[in-house]
Amino acid sequence: MMKKAMGIGGLFALLGSLPAMAQDTAAEVAPIIDKGDVTWMMTASALVLFMTVPGLALFYGGLVRSKNMLSVMMQTTMIAAVVMIVWVLYGYSFAFGGSTSPYWGGLGKLFLAGVTPDSTAATFTDGVVLPEYVFIAFQMTFAAITPGLIIGAFAERAKFSGVLLFSVLWVTFIYFPIAHMVWDGAGLIFNMGAIDFAGGTVVHINAGVAALVWALVLGPRVGFGKDNMAPHSMTLTMVGAAMLWFGWFGFNAGSNLEATSGATLAMLNTFVCTAAAIVSWALVETITRGKASGLGAASGMVAGLVAITPACGTTGPVGAIILGLAVSPVCYFFVTTVKQKFGYDDSLDVFGVHGIGGIVGAIGTGILMAPGLGGMGGEDFAIGAQVMIQIKAVLITLLWSGVGSLILIYITKAITGIRVASDDERQGLDLTSHGESAYHS
Amino acid sequence: MMKKAMGIGGLFALLGSLPAMAQDTAAEVAPIIDKGDVTWMMTASALVLFMTVPGLALFYGGLVRSKNMLSVMMQTTMIAAVVMIVWVLYGYSFAFGGSTSPYWGGLGKLFLAGVTPDSTAATFTDGVVLPEYVFIAFQMTFAAITPGLIIGAFAERAKFSGVLLFSVLWVTFIYFPIAHMVWDGAGLIFNMGAIDFAGGTVVHINAGVAALVWALVLGPRVGFGKDNMAPHSMTLTMVGAAMLWFGWFGFNAGSNLEATSGATLAMLNTFVCTAAAIVSWALVETITRGKASGLGAASGMVAGLVAITPACGTTGPVGAIILGLAVSPVCYFFVTTVKQKFGYDDSLDVFGVHGIGGIVGAIGTGILMAPGLGGMGGEDFAIGAQVMIQIKAVLITLLWSGVGSLILIYITKAITGIRVASDDERQGLDLTSHGESAYHS
Amino acid sequence: MMKKAMGIGGLFALLGSLPAMAQDTAAEVAPIIDKGDVTWMMTASALVLFMTVPGLALFYGGLVRSKNMLSVMMQTTMIAAVVMIVWVLYGYSFAFGGSTSPYWGGLGKLFLAGVTPDSTAATFTDGVVLPEYVFIAFQMTFAAITPGLIIGAFAERAKFSGVLLFSVLWVTFIYFPIAHMVWDGAGLIFNMGAIDFAGGTVVHINAGVAALVWALVLGPRVGFGKDNMAPHSMTLTMVGAAMLWFGWFGFNAGSNLEATSGATLAMLNTFVCTAAAIVSWALVETITRGKASGLGAASGMVAGLVAITPACGTTGPVGAIILGLAVSPVCYFFVTTVKQKFGYDDSLDVFGVHGIGGIVGAIGTGILMAPGLGGMGGEDFAIGAQVMIQIKAVLITLLWSGVGSLILIYITKAITGIRVASDDERQGLDLTSHGESAYHS
Amino acid sequence: MKYIIAAIKPYKLDEVREALTAVGVRGMMVSEIKGFGTQSGHTEIYRGAEYAVNFVPKVKIEIAVADTLADEVIETIRKVARTDKIGDGKIFVLDLEQALRVRTGETGDDAL
Amino acid sequence: MKYIIAAIKPYKLDEVREALTAVGVRGMMVSEIKGFGTQSGHTEIYRGAEYAVNFVPKVKIEIAVADTLADEVIETIRKVARTDKIGDGKIFVLDLEQALRVRTGETGDDAL
Amino acid sequence: MKYIIAAIKPYKLDEVREALTAVGVRGMMVSEIKGFGTQSGHTEIYRGAEYAVNFVPKVKIEIAVADTLADEVIETIRKVARTDKIGDGKIFVLDLEQALRVRTGETGDDAL
Ligand SMILES: Nc1ncnc2c1ncn2[C@@H]1O[C@H](COP(=O)(O)OP(=O)(O)O)[C@@H](O)[C@H]1O
Ligand SMILES: Nc1ncnc2c1ncn2[C@@H]1O[C@H](COP(=O)(O)OP(=O)(O)O)[C@@H](O)[C@H]1O
Ligand SMILES: Nc1ncnc2c1ncn2[C@@H]1O[C@H](COP(=O)(O)OP(=O)(O)O)[C@@H](O)[C@H]1O
């Protein structure tokens, strides 16, 4: 078990040098493509798209005022579309292009050079491979959703062209490198031994920090703290959250790359950690304000999903429940107390839920892997040491994404601008940026 | 074929004593885990969650007035979350814990004791197994949705804390035991030879009866029969129904536990029985009131899905169409005429659609399995005998769930109360129970 | 590679004579059913249903005024339901019944005669088969969605009974024959060597032309060009479009019938062509009117999906991006300029998006298959020749569907009528045709 | 003629309408409004952001009536809309100079 | 000055607005209302539960005009909103004491 | 008594309500309306179909006040709702004959 658990992070190690390897081993044992795996990875890829649109678009869109609904949906959609193109052009290469640099994947696979229907990508298991196309597609969906998470911070006021420019810059200079660092065998963080099964650091902390920086640089919405900015449709927010949950099975269990017992553990954990986080958010609300709200349940749902993301492959189900119970109160404290205290307007709480939830998850991963806690770590697993590694990985991400995002926001500001005129903001971005209204009778 | 058809109910028989068995047979032939099966069961598990949230939440939520929308979504979500935790703690054990009692599974797997990534669960086919984690997850989604079905009966007036308490009690004393009785090899109903492929009795009749009891005990909504209580969003109701259909493929074809021809039959039946029930509901409406309505189509859709649930593994496609054509008129008669006659307020017709539809399905299963009707029964299959068994299974469920639910409702009433104040009911549960509104501009 | 690429169109060639073949080869090598394939095809079938309801229902429904919302949802739902029944009764036989006619499949499989759990259907790969039930289900979902696409042309004014009658006639005389011609080994178009991987001609051009004929025969909506007919919910339209994208992976990658590398290529192409078409529609809008709209993004999404449908199995990812970039401007030109010029009221632009997008895709397929463009064609692949074949296939479809639809519309008009009274149109179809309203408070 | 405007509790609308029909009112205009008054609103909290909703949903009825009918109309609304709880609403009476039925061109009391 | 209130059929709104602009009206307030009158509503049935909707969707227009313009406004609405079917609507005229433009503080006819 | 009707910019509602409460207004009715005036609307294009939306979202406030309070109310709305941009809105004053509180039956100034 130890070997396998330790190997989890190692999966992607093989990918960088994959085509080479495929040729080498061809002479020895032909690697196997199992159609069950292929089906799972196709299903998982489709599920992660579903998380983005309509999932994330609805979760976020429901939270804004109706005059900004379409702007949120457009940002999610257009970011995903642009990043997919970027991914084929150079993103896949930057992340998994086969270079031995600890920081990026190089230029070896620009335009997917050399990838054919016969190309394969490695999995966790020696001798078991996937068609490279499905690995490209799966990883692409991760790249496409991550910058979309950030938009919650600047919702209802950011300039559309700036959002798109920033997103391209951000995946180029922040996401692709960090994906390489965490998941590639040559990667910096990977080689530290950090465990991040499905992308807690790469996706959630990464986006969460960028979001915080945005909120600080951009300033609050016009009328913030005075106008009623209640969610225009809690219904859609709850639908979006549920869709995120559904799609997240692809995200988490798909990260196993094979339809093995390990994937089913990731799935079970993605069920029960989320359930526990829903319950604990509802409990905190019941205690502090007497009522459990729908937004609380949805927030707990997402917080739980974020927290289990890095941990889902190495934690036992009971450990997952504990992680879920723990994450919501921490996030709740951030989005209610800390945010209010500092007064920044992270409009849809990207930092409070994804950033903080991601940090809780990353550290929790280091703890709950312990076999004594039902985790999948080996007998010689040491909580303290692993937690230190996890914290180091978190800090690198905080730094890289924090400083990098700050620079990129200012570059964007200089080129396209980052905020609409306040009259436009008042009238709503749907009309002023996109020329339409979300609802008519 | 006979053997297989008869064996369908027997699938779960093996599960109780699974780990033991796995050890025994290890010496002989190593049981096979097929990645295609694992993928299918992961997909199916995700689909059943999708049925619950957002599916059921929207189907029911669209039917209430907008002031109660979030309460419906919250109840569905929170019930699912709480039951998932309960499932890990003791539910799985109570249902499939390995005891030889005909009534429950015992305490052998509390906290999933002994389940590891190497644990397996049996399937219909000798020598083919699944990782136990995915069996736990799949069955968990069934437990999580079933009490959620009941809420339609007390929508717009039940007390939130009471709903949660009742749900926990109900799965503990009604659902887990009946799941054991029907699906476990040691189970009472299982050993009678009743066919319930995917849970017509365990899920639908079970929930339908509980719903009826609730409606009778709780009394009608304030303004019932006087105020306009038209669905606040037929759009969402139709979306929810369609999502139920989509997810139900996981529910029904997933119950085959393997990606075999049997699963594809279950899927095809789940398509065409539903289609037929949609058409026949629309026809009845066209005949009786001149117009086919969207709510009619959605109701027929759910009625068809409920009816085919027990029958989907043993009926031929033409038989499934016949079952679909038959179920809608019966349900229609119940929700329009019978309900009105008795005057109880089963607000969203849980009994009329799930209870009655489930009974039609259970009995239809006994008929349409006949090879002469295109069913999968063997040559010696006797309709009369099988129908008697099916009726007996239905009666046991009616009794157990009816009496049990009655007791549990009164226990809940004593502890938390079961109904909100009538002023709160008038203002709507969203504001008064959850402190928010579903829609703002 | 050549063999495989050429073989793509050939897949269905085997299906006509399938059961016979299965018996023949049984003596030689037992054909293999891979559970990974079965799982993929079940997943794909469920996904295509999801495209129809709720996907298409929402995409179209959001675009109409709220007084007609349910009529759109009802038409989509009821058409799908009715066609599913027709499919079992005679549709499957008409399309894939095993006859050697180039025009239809004959009567050999009426009521699915002879299909049992042991029946198999061939795939692209010799010796690999599927349970016939899942092939029936998968193809059924295609038949169920196609007539649903047409309703966009006559939305907000067509008579419900006429819509249903027409749909039955249309699948019978247009869809089933064309499906046979394109996909069956004995089929006319198939034997011309036309490439239509997932149904660009059969589904999209076919429906698009029928839609155009409808719009011309029926005339514009009351108030067209004068009243504000803005979409009642762009939110739902964008949700529906995203659901179409999600489901389309089943449509396109499912058409590979196996979970092979070919399926993953189809999936990757379905991602990136769509992404490119979203971007290019947004670009055209930005250039021509200064703003990128949500409806533009949704339209580009669908246009890209339509275009890649025939091409997804034979184009490389970069070629798919090029196709996506190309299709949107053409469709944009049609729905804005050409439609306006001719003044017909193809209310939801079925012809402009599905018809025109399908034609662009069909021709693009012939070009982008070239190995020099990253396509999967062999070394001797000749663009010119293939494009001519593609154009011929398009023309046959245009003619067959155009003339056929015209006749069927007039037949429908004679029997049930095709348009509601203008007072009913003004009040909205929801109330007047279905007796309900989509929204209440 | 009088132009009577009343704010009432939404769930009383149907009862009021029926009662008014009974006393001879043949038409009215109904709008959903947000009322502000002694009856207090409520507070909603969304992830820590607290919004005081100072308005209470009310229904506004507008009725043009002949002078002779005015008092009975006022009395009827008063009786039927009353629940003796804060927020029952208000009735306002304005003088109406002229009324006209679009369809027929009738004016005055005939138009009502 | 006069304060004119009219209930008309919703699809007539744009036509009426244009016609009024043509005669010199420079502003108005428009609300979607539920009308009750001779024109009957409809019945909706949801799974056997029958709801009589007694109201018909109408649009209410409110226009403040100078006394000199009042008759022309009334006449214009009448002509354009008319379809000769039941439910065409009503026009009510009240006396308006004072009008004020918030932006400039102008009062009386200047404010309109 | 006076019946004051004002059309204002929606985002000014809360400020106006607070200011009015401060000067002694104890109730009002608020509706979301579509305003037509000098302030122009906007155009929306949906796949080539262009719709001119001639109306601007406004909020309509209706307040019944005692004669003595009327001027202060008008002045308050004027001051607070003003942004000096086109579309700030209008205030109209009508004479109010009678007011009645449904709950208590109080009439006249006591009812407000
Ligand atoms: N001065 C006023 N002008 C206009 N409408 C008023 C006024 N006072 C109250 N209303 C309306 O009457 C409703 C009920 O008034 P409220 O003061 O809450 O209760 P009550 O009528 O029981 O004293 C308010 O919600 C508001 O719509
Ligand atoms: N004659 C009028 N009658 C009724 N309402 C009016 C009238 N003129 C303007 N309004 C209302 O006042 C609002 C603001 O008027 P507008 O002419 O746009 O700007 P301003 O008040 O700055 O001149 C309009 O949207 C409309 O609701
Ligand atoms: N007495 C009234 N007071 C206020 N509004 C009225 C009155 N009578 C009719 N209305 C309004 O006028 C509309 C049309 O009236 P109705 O009686 O249906 O038709 P018609 O005007 O053709 O006689 C009604 O829907 C209602 O909004």
Side-chain angles (χ1 to χ4, degrees), chain D residues 17 26-28 30 62 97-100 102-103 105 111, chain E residues 2 33-34 36-37 54 60 78 82 89-93:
Chain D
R17 183 190 47 73
R26 274 172 314 188
M28 64 183 82
V30 174
E62 290 160 274
E97 279 194 358
Q98 183 57 291
L100 183 142
V102 170
R103 173 165 49 92
Chain E
K2 299 294 172 203
I33 60 155
K34 303 191 275 185
F36 176 73
N54 296 293
K60 183 175 77 171
R78 190 167 176 242
R82 185 168 177 176
K90 300 268 153 64
I91 305 174
F92 302 117
V93 186

mmCIF file of all heavy atoms in Angstrom, chain D residues 17 26-28 30 62 97-100 102-103 105 111, chain E residues 2 33-34 36-37 54 60 78 82 89-93:
data_model
loop_
_atom_site.group_PDB
_atom_site.id
_atom_site.type_symbol
_atom_site.label_atom_id
_atom_site.label_comp_id
_atom_site.label_asym_id
_atom_site.label_seq_id
_atom_site.Cartn_x
_atom_site.Cartn_y
_atom_site.Cartn_z
ATOM 1 N N ARG D 17 -61.293 40.772 -3.968
ATOM 2 C CA ARG D 17 -61.862 40.867 -5.306
ATOM 3 C C ARG D 17 -63.276 40.303 -5.356
ATOM 4 O O ARG D 17 -64.199 40.909 -5.917
ATOM 5 C CB ARG D 17 -60.975 40.118 -6.308
ATOM 6 C CG ARG D 17 -61.462 40.214 -7.759
ATOM 7 C CD ARG D 17 -60.723 39.279 -8.685
ATOM 8 N NE ARG D 17 -60.600 37.930 -8.173
ATOM 9 C CZ ARG D 17 -61.589 37.042 -8.099
ATOM 10 N NH1 ARG D 17 -62.819 37.359 -8.490
ATOM 11 N NH2 ARG D 17 -61.379 35.837 -7.605
ATOM 12 N N ARG D 26 -66.997 46.421 -11.123
ATOM 13 C CA ARG D 26 -66.826 45.620 -12.321
ATOM 14 C C ARG D 26 -65.423 45.624 -12.911
ATOM 15 O O ARG D 26 -65.179 45.011 -13.942
ATOM 16 C CB ARG D 26 -67.852 46.045 -13.364
ATOM 17 C CG ARG D 26 -69.177 45.295 -13.144
ATOM 18 C CD ARG D 26 -70.234 45.854 -14.033
ATOM 19 N NE ARG D 26 -70.177 47.317 -13.956
ATOM 20 C CZ ARG D 26 -71.070 48.125 -14.506
ATOM 21 N NH1 ARG D 26 -72.071 47.625 -15.176
ATOM 22 N NH2 ARG D 26 -70.965 49.431 -14.398
ATOM 23 N N GLY D 27 -64.525 46.302 -12.239
ATOM 24 C CA GLY D 27 -63.166 46.292 -12.771
ATOM 25 C C GLY D 27 -62.174 46.856 -11.779
ATOM 26 O O GLY D 27 -62.536 47.581 -10.844
ATOM 27 N N MET D 28 -60.941 46.477 -11.939
ATOM 28 C CA MET D 28 -59.885 47.050 -11.093
ATOM 29 C C MET D 28 -58.528 46.756 -11.707
ATOM 30 O O MET D 28 -58.390 45.961 -12.638
ATOM 31 C CB MET D 28 -59.963 46.487 -9.673
ATOM 32 C CG MET D 28 -59.707 44.996 -9.562
ATOM 33 S SD MET D 28 -59.913 44.390 -7.871
ATOM 34 C CE MET D 28 -61.676 44.190 -7.764
ATOM 35 N N VAL D 30 -54.569 45.706 -10.515
ATOM 36 C CA VAL D 30 -53.856 45.144 -9.382
ATOM 37 C C VAL D 30 -52.352 45.139 -9.676
ATOM 38 O O VAL D 30 -51.932 44.706 -10.749
ATOM 39 C CB VAL D 30 -54.328 43.696 -9.125
ATOM 40 C CG1 VAL D 30 -53.508 43.040 -8.039
ATOM 41 C CG2 VAL D 30 -55.808 43.688 -8.780
ATOM 42 N N GLU D 62 -56.361 49.377 -7.542
ATOM 43 C CA GLU D 62 -56.906 50.670 -7.950
ATOM 44 C C GLU D 62 -58.263 50.463 -8.577
ATOM 45 O O GLU D 62 -58.423 49.648 -9.478
ATOM 46 C CB GLU D 62 -55.958 51.352 -8.950
ATOM 47 C CG GLU D 62 -54.659 51.829 -8.298
ATOM 48 C CD GLU D 62 -53.547 52.055 -9.314
ATOM 49 O OE1 GLU D 62 -52.848 51.079 -9.634
ATOM 50 O OE2 GLU D 62 -53.394 53.190 -9.771
ATOM 51 N N GLU D 97 -61.914 62.765 -12.170
ATOM 52 C CA GLU D 97 -62.612 63.728 -13.028
ATOM 53 C C GLU D 97 -63.347 63.067 -14.176
ATOM 54 O O GLU D 97 -64.462 63.438 -14.510
ATOM 55 C CB GLU D 97 -61.587 64.700 -13.634
ATOM 56 C CG GLU D 97 -61.208 65.793 -12.691
ATOM 57 C CD GLU D 97 -60.481 66.904 -13.415
ATOM 58 O OE1 GLU D 97 -60.253 66.780 -14.637
ATOM 59 O OE2 GLU D 97 -60.127 67.883 -12.745
ATOM 60 N N GLN D 98 -62.689 62.119 -14.760
ATOM 61 C CA GLN D 98 -63.267 61.566 -15.971
ATOM 62 C C GLN D 98 -62.840 60.109 -16.140
ATOM 63 O O GLN D 98 -61.743 59.724 -15.706
ATOM 64 C CB GLN D 98 -62.791 62.396 -17.185
ATOM 65 C CG GLN D 98 -63.359 61.979 -18.509
ATOM 66 C CD GLN D 98 -64.887 61.997 -18.539
ATOM 67 O OE1 GLN D 98 -65.530 61.165 -17.885
ATOM 68 N NE2 GLN D 98 -65.464 62.940 -19.265
ATOM 69 N N ALA D 99 -63.697 59.314 -16.724
ATOM 70 C CA ALA D 99 -63.356 57.926 -17.054
ATOM 71 C C ALA D 99 -63.842 57.649 -18.461
ATOM 72 O O ALA D 99 -64.838 58.231 -18.901
ATOM 73 C CB ALA D 99 -64.014 56.972 -16.063
ATOM 74 N N LEU D 100 -63.149 56.756 -19.140
ATOM 75 C CA LEU D 100 -63.483 56.489 -20.540
ATOM 76 C C LEU D 100 -63.166 55.038 -20.869
ATOM 77 O O LEU D 100 -62.123 54.525 -20.495
ATOM 78 C CB LEU D 100 -62.660 57.438 -21.417
ATOM 79 C CG LEU D 100 -62.893 57.398 -22.918
ATOM 80 C CD1 LEU D 100 -62.814 58.814 -23.482
ATOM 81 C CD2 LEU D 100 -61.893 56.511 -23.596
ATOM 82 N N VAL D 102 -62.146 52.456 -23.531
ATOM 83 C CA VAL D 102 -61.479 52.525 -24.821
ATOM 84 C C VAL D 102 -62.304 51.873 -25.928
ATOM 85 O O VAL D 102 -62.463 52.411 -27.021
ATOM 86 C CB VAL D 102 -60.075 51.864 -24.750
ATOM 87 C CG1 VAL D 102 -59.474 51.717 -26.136
ATOM 88 C CG2 VAL D 102 -59.162 52.666 -23.845
ATOM 89 N N ARG D 103 -62.843 50.721 -25.617
ATOM 90 C CA ARG D 103 -63.552 49.939 -26.638
ATOM 91 C C ARG D 103 -64.752 50.685 -27.223
ATOM 92 O O ARG D 103 -64.948 50.707 -28.435
ATOM 93 C CB ARG D 103 -64.018 48.616 -26.016
ATOM 94 C CG ARG D 103 -64.898 47.760 -26.880
ATOM 95 C CD ARG D 103 -64.989 46.354 -26.332
ATOM 96 N NE ARG D 103 -65.305 46.327 -24.908
ATOM 97 C CZ ARG D 103 -66.549 46.245 -24.411
ATOM 98 N NH1 ARG D 103 -67.590 46.173 -25.201
ATOM 99 N NH2 ARG D 103 -66.746 46.229 -23.093
ATOM 100 N N GLY D 105 -65.847 54.010 -26.122
ATOM 101 C CA GLY D 105 -65.840 55.446 -26.033
ATOM 102 C C GLY D 105 -66.802 55.989 -24.970
ATOM 103 O O GLY D 105 -66.917 57.183 -24.774
ATOM 104 N N ALA D 111 -68.531 54.159 -18.049
ATOM 105 C CA ALA D 111 -67.255 53.568 -18.470
ATOM 106 C C ALA D 111 -66.727 52.584 -17.431
ATOM 107 O O ALA D 111 -65.798 51.823 -17.702
ATOM 108 C CB ALA D 111 -66.235 54.682 -18.701
ATOM 109 N N LYS E 2 -53.208 67.618 -15.788
ATOM 110 C CA LYS E 2 -53.982 66.399 -15.572
ATOM 111 C C LYS E 2 -53.035 65.228 -15.376
ATOM 112 O O LYS E 2 -51.933 65.182 -15.931
ATOM 113 C CB LYS E 2 -54.868 66.097 -16.794
ATOM 114 C CG LYS E 2 -55.881 67.172 -17.107
ATOM 115 C CD LYS E 2 -56.923 67.292 -16.010
ATOM 116 C CE LYS E 2 -57.819 68.518 -16.246
ATOM 117 N NZ LYS E 2 -58.450 68.982 -14.994
ATOM 118 N N ILE E 33 -49.481 45.297 -14.946
ATOM 119 C CA ILE E 33 -50.456 45.036 -13.891
ATOM 120 C C ILE E 33 -51.330 43.845 -14.265
ATOM 121 O O ILE E 33 -51.280 43.331 -15.368
ATOM 122 C CB ILE E 33 -51.384 46.254 -13.662
ATOM 123 C CG1 ILE E 33 -52.131 46.568 -14.969
ATOM 124 C CG2 ILE E 33 -50.597 47.453 -13.187
ATOM 125 C CD1 ILE E 33 -53.421 47.285 -14.735
ATOM 126 N N LYS E 34 -52.113 43.431 -13.274
ATOM 127 C CA LYS E 34 -53.123 42.422 -13.523
ATOM 128 C C LYS E 34 -54.469 43.134 -13.575
ATOM 129 O O LYS E 34 -54.844 43.825 -12.626
ATOM 130 C CB LYS E 34 -53.139 41.383 -12.410
ATOM 131 C CG LYS E 34 -51.784 40.705 -12.210
ATOM 132 C CD LYS E 34 -51.883 39.500 -11.303
ATOM 133 C CE LYS E 34 -51.803 39.905 -9.839
ATOM 134 N NZ LYS E 34 -51.777 38.742 -8.936
ATOM 135 N N PHE E 36 -58.616 43.381 -13.917
ATOM 136 C CA PHE E 36 -59.834 42.626 -13.663
ATOM 137 C C PHE E 36 -60.964 43.408 -14.306
ATOM 138 O O PHE E 36 -61.043 44.644 -14.159
ATOM 139 C CB PHE E 36 -60.055 42.487 -12.159
ATOM 140 C CG PHE E 36 -61.336 41.803 -11.807
ATOM 141 C CD1 PHE E 36 -61.455 40.433 -11.996
ATOM 142 C CD2 PHE E 36 -62.422 42.516 -11.309
ATOM 143 C CE1 PHE E 36 -62.649 39.784 -11.679
ATOM 144 C CE2 PHE E 36 -63.611 41.877 -10.997
ATOM 145 C CZ PHE E 36 -63.719 40.508 -11.184
ATOM 146 N N GLY E 37 -61.821 42.747 -15.022
ATOM 147 C CA GLY E 37 -62.902 43.458 -15.691
ATOM 148 C C GLY E 37 -63.831 42.483 -16.382
ATOM 149 O O GLY E 37 -63.938 41.318 -15.958
ATOM 150 N N ASN E 54 -58.215 34.940 -12.422
ATOM 151 C CA ASN E 54 -59.259 35.898 -12.764
ATOM 152 C C ASN E 54 -58.713 37.170 -13.374
ATOM 153 O O ASN E 54 -59.472 38.046 -13.749
ATOM 154 C CB ASN E 54 -60.057 36.241 -11.504
ATOM 155 C CG ASN E 54 -60.775 35.018 -10.973
ATOM 156 O OD1 ASN E 54 -61.677 34.512 -11.620
ATOM 157 N ND2 ASN E 54 -60.342 34.516 -9.822
ATOM 158 N N LYS E 60 -50.344 49.401 -17.443
ATOM 159 C CA LYS E 60 -50.880 50.674 -16.955
ATOM 160 C C LYS E 60 -49.925 51.791 -17.342
ATOM 161 O O LYS E 60 -48.725 51.683 -17.110
ATOM 162 C CB LYS E 60 -51.048 50.622 -15.436
ATOM 163 C CG LYS E 60 -51.680 51.889 -14.866
ATOM 164 C CD LYS E 60 -51.964 51.785 -13.376
ATOM 165 C CE LYS E 60 -50.693 51.943 -12.568
ATOM 166 N NZ LYS E 60 -50.927 52.066 -11.116
ATOM 167 N N ARG E 78 -57.120 56.428 -26.941
ATOM 168 C CA ARG E 78 -58.362 55.788 -27.322
ATOM 169 C C ARG E 78 -58.257 55.187 -28.723
ATOM 170 O O ARG E 78 -58.592 54.029 -28.946
ATOM 171 C CB ARG E 78 -59.447 56.863 -27.303
ATOM 172 C CG ARG E 78 -60.716 56.223 -27.438
ATOM 173 C CD ARG E 78 -61.972 56.797 -27.211
ATOM 174 N NE ARG E 78 -62.752 55.675 -27.603
ATOM 175 C CZ ARG E 78 -63.596 55.686 -28.616
ATOM 176 N NH1 ARG E 78 -63.844 56.768 -29.276
ATOM 177 N NH2 ARG E 78 -64.214 54.587 -28.927
ATOM 178 N N ARG E 82 -57.377 50.893 -29.246
ATOM 179 C CA ARG E 82 -58.654 50.246 -29.532
ATOM 180 C C ARG E 82 -58.525 49.076 -30.499
ATOM 181 O O ARG E 82 -57.913 49.183 -31.543
ATOM 182 C CB ARG E 82 -59.562 51.308 -30.145
ATOM 183 C CG ARG E 82 -60.949 50.833 -30.394
ATOM 184 C CD ARG E 82 -61.804 52.035 -30.719
ATOM 185 N NE ARG E 82 -63.136 51.613 -31.043
ATOM 186 C CZ ARG E 82 -64.109 52.452 -31.291
ATOM 187 N NH1 ARG E 82 -63.884 53.742 -31.245
ATOM 188 N NH2 ARG E 82 -65.311 51.987 -31.579
ATOM 189 N N GLY E 89 -59.524 48.271 -22.447
ATOM 190 C CA GLY E 89 -59.002 49.082 -21.356
ATOM 191 C C GLY E 89 -59.780 50.342 -21.052
ATOM 192 O O GLY E 89 -60.852 50.591 -21.621
ATOM 193 N N LYS E 90 -59.237 51.094 -20.117
ATOM 194 C CA LYS E 90 -59.917 52.275 -19.580
ATOM 195 C C LYS E 90 -58.934 53.424 -19.517
ATOM 196 O O LYS E 90 -57.729 53.227 -19.387
ATOM 197 C CB LYS E 90 -60.388 51.987 -18.147
ATOM 198 C CG LYS E 90 -61.364 50.830 -18.031
ATOM 199 C CD LYS E 90 -62.805 51.293 -18.111
ATOM 200 C CE LYS E 90 -63.716 50.229 -18.650
ATOM 201 N NZ LYS E 90 -63.867 49.036 -17.863
ATOM 202 N N ILE E 91 -59.483 54.634 -19.561
ATOM 203 C CA ILE E 91 -58.654 55.827 -19.335
ATOM 204 C C ILE E 91 -59.279 56.616 -18.189
ATOM 205 O O ILE E 91 -60.490 56.853 -18.192
ATOM 206 C CB ILE E 91 -58.596 56.714 -20.588
ATOM 207 C CG1 ILE E 91 -58.121 55.875 -21.787
ATOM 208 C CG2 ILE E 91 -57.661 57.895 -20.369
ATOM 209 C CD1 ILE E 91 -58.172 56.620 -23.109
ATOM 210 N N PHE E 92 -58.460 56.974 -17.217
ATOM 211 C CA PHE E 92 -58.955 57.752 -16.087
ATOM 212 C C PHE E 92 -58.200 59.073 -16.017
ATOM 213 O O PHE E 92 -56.987 59.115 -16.232
ATOM 214 C CB PHE E 92 -58.756 56.993 -14.775
ATOM 215 C CG PHE E 92 -59.434 55.646 -14.776
ATOM 216 C CD1 PHE E 92 -58.697 54.472 -14.654
ATOM 217 C CD2 PHE E 92 -60.815 55.547 -14.905
ATOM 218 C CE1 PHE E 92 -59.318 53.229 -14.665
ATOM 219 C CE2 PHE E 92 -61.443 54.303 -14.923
ATOM 220 C CZ PHE E 92 -60.699 53.137 -14.797
ATOM 221 N N VAL E 93 -58.920 60.137 -15.706
ATOM 222 C CA VAL E 93 -58.283 61.453 -15.644
ATOM 223 C C VAL E 93 -58.442 62.057 -14.254
ATOM 224 O O VAL E 93 -59.560 62.177 -13.750
ATOM 225 C CB VAL E 93 -58.913 62.402 -16.673
ATOM 226 C CG1 VAL E 93 -58.150 63.725 -16.701
ATOM 227 C CG2 VAL E 93 -58.935 61.766 -18.047
#
